[in-house]
Amino acid sequence: MAQGAVLFSLGIVGAGQFSGAFAKLFNAHPGVSRVTVTDLVPDRSATLVRELGLAGVEEDFEAMLASDVDAVAIFTQRWTHGPLAVRALRAGKHVYSSVPMAFTAEEIAAIIEAVEETGLTYMMGETSHYHPATVLARQKAADGAFGRLFYAEGDYVHDMDHGFYAAYQYSGGEDWKRTASFPPLKYPTHAIGGVLGAWRTHAVSVSAIGVPDRRGDGVFDKSVSMFGNDFSNATALFETADGGSMRTNEFRRVGLGQWIPESRFVFYGTEGILEQGSRTTLWHKRSGPLEDCTELVRPGWATGADDPVLANVDPALHDSFISGHAPVHDTSGLPVEFKGLGNGHMGSHQLLAHDFVTAVEQGTLPPVNAWTAARYTLPGLVAHESALRGGERLKIDDFGDAPGAA
């Protein structure tokens, strides 16, 4: 923490499977004075407070907004984030939001408007912005090593059987199948964010194909789904603002090996190619030898495999919560208080928490600010509409760059 920086308090909204890991990091950060929690299931809030030694429980979201916390971190169900973020901003709270940013374009616009009018910090916690392959591609793009970037691929291939059934059952209760059918392209940021986190462009149009599910277990069943969705897999091809293109896959029925990372990225330039596979990452140049970057982007192992905050997380998802940093990550700015604490999702958790705290403390733009989050989220929402229209090519609006962004 910078000398003379003012501590701020933070409220966790949603005490489910994902929030515990971040509550622990926020509570340990020297820039955060105290952490409180609220959840629709009171026992979950109380348990998290007890296990992590947090400051206390707020009865509900209204009580959290009425309290004197300076910021909130939203870890609720994925279609609820947008309205909650707007209400928090309008109540004078800085906002950290788990992904996706919002469920509709109107909700995205409302968040950006609230940030503009309040001057408060908003950050979307997109893990793929910190994915080691994205970090490496960002470095190479900044150095001009790609030449002109003109094509990229970003995949988020997470089979439902790899922990998602249990996660939806935990969050959705008896009617969990209604929500487990969440449209894949409306959860686009792990794929799009990993591409645009390195390539300074944005999507301007899209054509997408959705694959109707055939499992027949009541998930991705239009008659059951609260979203009227039967797509379990989807592919989108985007035109980018600089005349290039990017392709993303969002797959929920896919034969990926259980311990293979779900996100992977490929970048094509006129002078170089970065190509990530399941087990290797290679850098190609127009001339010269092939460079193996596998070890540079391989995350180490973090502590926390037996952490109580993972008690309600399906074992198939544990690997996502205990991966450490990769050599390509710059960890020099992390607080010493994070040493020995858990990390996760390819080394992103500690970096996410620290970047949000730093942005609030210093009044600076976080890496995935509201305008960047819109570019990571909105293309997927439009892509889902394209898939519903049989692949019709649709225009994607843009909210522009963040004010003052470099």
Side-chain angles (χ1 to χ4, degrees):
M1 184 176 63
Q3 187 173 3
V6 178
L7 297 176
F8 70 92
S9 53
L10 181 140
I12 299 289
V13 182
Q17 294 180 313
F18 196 56
S19 65
F22 282 88
K24 191 167 192 175
L25 292 173
F26 283 130
N27 196 49
H29 199 290
V32 177
S33 59
R34 71 179 192 279
V35 175
T36 55
V37 187
T38 190
D39 192 277
L40 292 174
V41 182
D43 286 349
R44 292 181 182 175
S45 299
T47 298
L48 196 59
V49 168
R50 182 177 65 254
E51 289 179 345
L52 300 185
L54 307 181
V57 172
E58 294 292 348
E59 183 178 359
D60 52 28
F61 185 59
E62 295 293 342
M64 182 68 80
L65 295 187
S67 74
D68 63 351
V69 296
D70 301 298
V72 297
I74 299 171
F75 296 98
T76 56
Q77 300 212 68
R78 55 191 68 182
W79 61 92
T80 66
H81 300 160
L84 294 177
V86 171
R87 289 174 61 191
L89 289 163
R90 296 297 183 187
K93 315 298 184 185
H94 304 285
V95 172
Y96 176 98
S97 174
S98 51
V99 300
M101 181 185 195
F103 191 69
T104 68
E106 292 76 17
E107 291 174 0
I108 292 174
I111 292 172
I112 289 177
E113 181 180 4
V115 173
E116 288 177 328
E117 294 181 0
T118 64
L120 294 167
T121 298
Y122 171 93
M123 177 173 169
M124 184 178 74
E126 177 43 56
T127 58
S128 286
H129 185 88
Y130 301 82
H131 191 288
T134 296
V135 174
L136 179 59
R138 188 157 59 236
Q139 293 174 357
K140 289 190 175 295
D143 293 340
F146 285 109
R148 178 197 174 195
L149 265 171
F150 63 89
Y151 176 75
E153 299 175 358
D155 296 342
Y156 180 57
V157 287
H158 193 149
D159 190 82
M160 288 290 293
D161 287 321
H162 291 177
F164 267 179
Y165 277 98
Y168 277 111
Q169 289 165 2
Y170 184 82
S171 62
E174 292 182 358
D175 293 331
W176 67 273
K177 289 185 180 181
R178 294 182 65 245
T179 61
S181 57
F182 194 86
L185 284 171
K186 286 209 166 194
Y187 193 77
T189 62
H190 292 335
I192 296 173
V195 172
L196 298 186
W199 187 0
R200 293 176 64 89
T201 190
H202 60 274
V204 296
S205 71
V206 62
S207 177
I209 300 296
V211 180
D213 195 53
R214 293 182 179 176
R215 181 93 167 243
D217 64 354
V219 178
F220 301 111
D221 182 333
K222 283 186 177 180
S223 66
V224 176
S225 169
M226 69 176 284
F227 312 105
N229 176 57
D230 66 349
F231 296 151
S232 54
N233 295 329
T235 297
L237 180 63
F238 300 93
E239 175 192 12
T240 60
D242 52 358
S245 60
M246 66 175 177
R247 189 270 297 148
T248 65
N249 287 322
E250 290 285 348
F251 294 162
R252 304 296 177 264
R253 302 289 196 198
V254 58
L256 185 74
Q258 186 165 343
W259 305 113
I260 303 298
E262 300 98 355
S263 296
R264 72 279 309 283
F265 304 99
V266 176
F267 298 85
Y268 280 76
T270 55
E271 301 299 326
I273 297 172
L274 184 65
E275 183 179 31
Q276 183 187 28
S278 296
R279 290 299 189 192
T280 58
T281 300
L282 302 174
W283 169 248
H284 310 246
K285 290 186 291 187
R286 178 180 290 278
S287 60
L290 192 69
E291 181 180 342
D292 190 335
C293 301
T294 304
E295 293 305 316
L296 186 61
V297 300
R298 189 191 303 279
W301 290 99
T303 58
D306 57 352
D307 197 310
V309 300
L310 297 182
N312 294 311
V313 177
D314 188 278
L317 293 175
H318 280 196
D319 187 45
S320 295
F321 288 86
I322 58 174
S323 59
H325 295 114
V328 75
H329 284 131
D330 179 5
T331 61
S332 61
L334 292 177
V336 295
E337 288 83 356
F338 279 6
K339 187 174 182 179
L341 296 185
N343 204 346
H345 286 89
M346 306 297 285
S348 65
H349 289 192
Q350 293 187 4
L351 295 164
L352 282 161
H354 179 62
D355 279 352
F356 176 69
V357 174
T358 300
V360 172
E361 284 179 345
Q362 299 180 5
T364 54
L365 279 171
V368 189
N369 55 70
W371 292 265
T372 299
R375 287 175 169 172
Y376 289 5
T377 306
L378 183 57
L381 308 188
V382 180
H384 179 66
E385 183 62 27
S386 170
L388 291 174
R389 299 188 191 184
E392 179 183 346
R393 187 170 177 177
L394 299 178
K395 178 179 180 292
I396 300 170
D397 292 328
D398 182 57
F399 292 93
D401 295 322

